Amino acid sequence: MYRGADHGSDDAVTDGGSPVPVGVKIGSTRTVIAFPAPDGSGVQVVQTLTCLAEYENPITGETKYAYGDDAAAEYPESVEFPLRSGLPDAGRQTELTSQFFDAVVASHDVPEHSAVVYVTPMSDDEAGQANLRRVIEQSPIGQVGIERYPEMLCGAIPALGEGLEAIEQVFAAMNLGATHVEAAAFRRGEQIAPYRSGRTTGNEVDRKIISNVENETQSRVHIDINTAREYKEQHADFESFEPVTDVIQQPGGGRHEFTIERSIMDPVEEYLDGVVDIFAGEFLPALSSQYHRVHRLALDQPIVLTGGMACIPGLVAEFQRRVRSVVDEDLTVTAPQRPDIAATLGAHRIATRFVG
Ligand SMILES: Nc1ncnc2c1ncn2[C@@H]1O[C@H](COP(=O)(O)OP(=O)(O)OP(=O)(O)O)[C@@H](O)[C@H]1O
Ligand SMILES: [Mg+2]
């Protein structure tokens, strides 16, 4: 399965020592990298927003860049997310993604003498997949080899055991991402009855939060898309949502304090209904009609929810409750402890096998 060196195998020899396993996800919202902590204390995880912002050094006039969380915090008006809409096109999106990724790898000393397993979304955009691969191939890491696995399968790995048990089992999963929702069954690693939609997404929730906040504040408050995402990530909660109070500076001075009660959870509730509809109304029937026995086996195992949107407190239990109420099955639902970094941790575990 592992194809070995894609480039730079000479460097690997001169570096000496055994190669290091690295898991990578370059997602549309965040990039996550996992590798052994240099002090031997376990796995180090780097997680930052997939974005960059250009600025000018006021003394030299030189064009400079800020990356990741810093770029988003300091340059909210000009920050660019090159993968905002998904896999990169051949031009500027790939270029900016490469520049971003190389900067993150360098600033966190991700080992170059490494075997990289990276994850990719379910997509038939082959050019986009090739462009993403190029970003990793052209980066300094992965000198010993580069391999890719489905994001959803990797995300299920930490949910189903301490090792690679997920690769040996039959189960169904859903990946709740920023630009897509995915569903599939896995039979010992093979993806079955894949379903993918760009309609029910984290980004869509963020867009609705913007217009809801406008409505709820009688057009006094306009937030940008990153603020909407932060509201969702910090406050959305199916167990104990509290109204959110924030302050804006008004044009011409003066602070305006406002409280929103429904603007966050309305779209999040609607989102979960959409996810349940897809799972119970589209994915399961398709799986059952094409692979009846696999469908049966998969429903006897916990359904795994992965992806950043599965981080919302109480979402997993609420998904289980709603699915049970529409399908006549006693199914259970589970999730990895950190659905937002699980795919990278799973990829890192696979990479560990390759160097072992
Ligand atoms: N703690 C959190 N609470 C709520 N939502 C979160 C949290 N963390 C991440 N998200 C949301 O999850 C989404 C990102 O999920 P993920 O990282 O799986 O996406 P992605 O793989 O980059 O996107 P895609 O594959 O769809 O292009 C975003 O909408 C983000 O705001
Ligand atoms: Mg994804």
Side-chain angles (χ1 to χ4, degrees):
M1 216 174 343
Y2 190 50
R3 283 200 293 277
D6 284 295
H7 66 136
S9 49
D10 289 346
D11 298 350
V13 173
T14 51
D15 273 354
S18 43
V20 167
V22 177
V24 171
K25 169 177 166 179
I26 308 179
S28 62
T29 307
R30 287 189 175 85
T31 289
V32 188
I33 308 174
F35 53 99
D39 63 1
S41 65
V43 179
Q44 179 167 339
V45 178
V46 170
Q47 183 183 29
T48 196
L49 290 164
T50 307
C51 64
L52 65 178
E54 193 181 306
Y55 66 95
E56 192 180 286
N57 178 312
I59 296 165
T60 63
E62 207 187 338
T63 299
K64 313 257 302 176
Y65 291 87
Y67 298 99
D69 294 358
D70 291 342
E74 295 167 15
Y75 298 94
E77 72 296 339
S78 62
V79 66
E80 279 192 80
F81 285 74
L83 304 183
R84 167 131 269 160
S85 49
L87 289 166
D89 69 16
R92 202 173 131 73
Q93 289 174 357
T94 298
E95 226 172 86
L96 289 177
T97 307
S98 252
Q99 185 187 337
F100 159 82
F101 187 66
D102 290 357
V104 173
V105 159
S107 67
H108 292 90
D109 293 323
V110 183
E112 299 181 2
H113 182 45
S114 52
V116 168
V117 171
Y118 73 106
V119 304
T120 56
M122 203 186 265
S123 167
D124 39 25
D125 172 9
E126 302 217 342
Q129 298 279 18
N131 295 334
L132 182 62
R133 184 178 184 92
R134 205 165 307 125
V135 168
I136 299 187
E137 280 176 350
Q138 289 173 354
S139 81
I141 65 169
Q143 290 179 352
V144 180
I146 298 172
E147 195 57 76
R148 90 170 161 118
Y149 279 82
E151 178 183 337
M152 187 163 41
L153 177 62
C154 290
I157 287 172
L160 294 177
E162 297 296 313
L164 294 177
E165 291 87 342
I167 313 278
E168 306 296 322
Q169 295 178 21
V170 178
F171 65 96
M174 262 192 123
N175 182 31
L176 313 183
T179 70
H180 287 91
V181 61
E182 304 173 345
F186 289 95
R187 176 172 59 190
R188 300 180 189 280
E190 175 197 3
Q191 186 170 271
I192 290 178
Y195 176 98
R196 173 172 176 267
S197 164
R199 269 177 298 123
T200 306
T201 67
N203 285 350
E204 180 60 17
V205 170
D206 302 347
R207 285 190 286 270
K208 286 185 185 157
I209 290 176
I210 294 178
S211 57
N212 285 12
V213 167
E214 256 180 66
N215 286 337
E216 200 174 333
T217 62
Q218 285 85 40
S219 297
R220 279 199 210 106
V221 179
H222 305 273
I223 56 171
D224 64 24
I225 190 87
N226 291 315
T227 307
R229 178 180 48 70
E230 286 168 9
Y231 279 2
K232 175 193 68 185
E233 293 178 356
Q234 289 161 17
H235 303 290
D237 191 329
F238 283 96
E239 287 158 359
S240 58
F241 175 78
E242 303 275 351
V244 175
T245 297
D246 204 350
V247 173
I248 50 159
Q249 296 300 322
Q250 287 175 314
R255 48 201 297 287
H256 174 63
E257 187 178 285
F258 63 97
T259 298
I260 48 176
E261 295 189 3
R262 309 212 46 88
S263 297
I264 297 173
M265 283 314 283
D266 281 357
V268 170
E269 289 280 355
E270 216 178 296
Y271 170 80
L272 185 58
D273 281 338
V275 169
V276 169
D277 280 349
I278 287 169
F279 185 77
E282 299 186 41
F283 166 68
L284 277 189
L287 178 66
S288 161
S289 70
Q290 296 167 55
Y291 297 92
H292 189 66
R293 280 165 188 268
V294 174
H295 167 261
R296 217 28 290 145
L297 290 170
L299 289 188
D300 289 339
Q301 299 298 320
I303 313 299
V304 181
L305 295 187
T306 67
M309 290 291 286
C311 292
I312 297 175
L315 181 140
V316 173
E318 193 54 25
F319 175 86
Q320 174 175 303
R321 196 185 66 75
R322 292 185 197 185
V323 170
R324 279 185 180 180
S325 75
V326 287
V327 303
D328 190 18
E329 300 274 356
D330 234 4
L331 51 80
T332 59
V333 181
T334 190
Q337 208 173 16
R338 286 282 307 273
D340 55 335
I341 62 172
T344 304
L345 295 179
H348 175 255
R349 281 193 203 169
I350 296 174
T352 305
R353 294 295 170 95
F354 288 150
V355 300

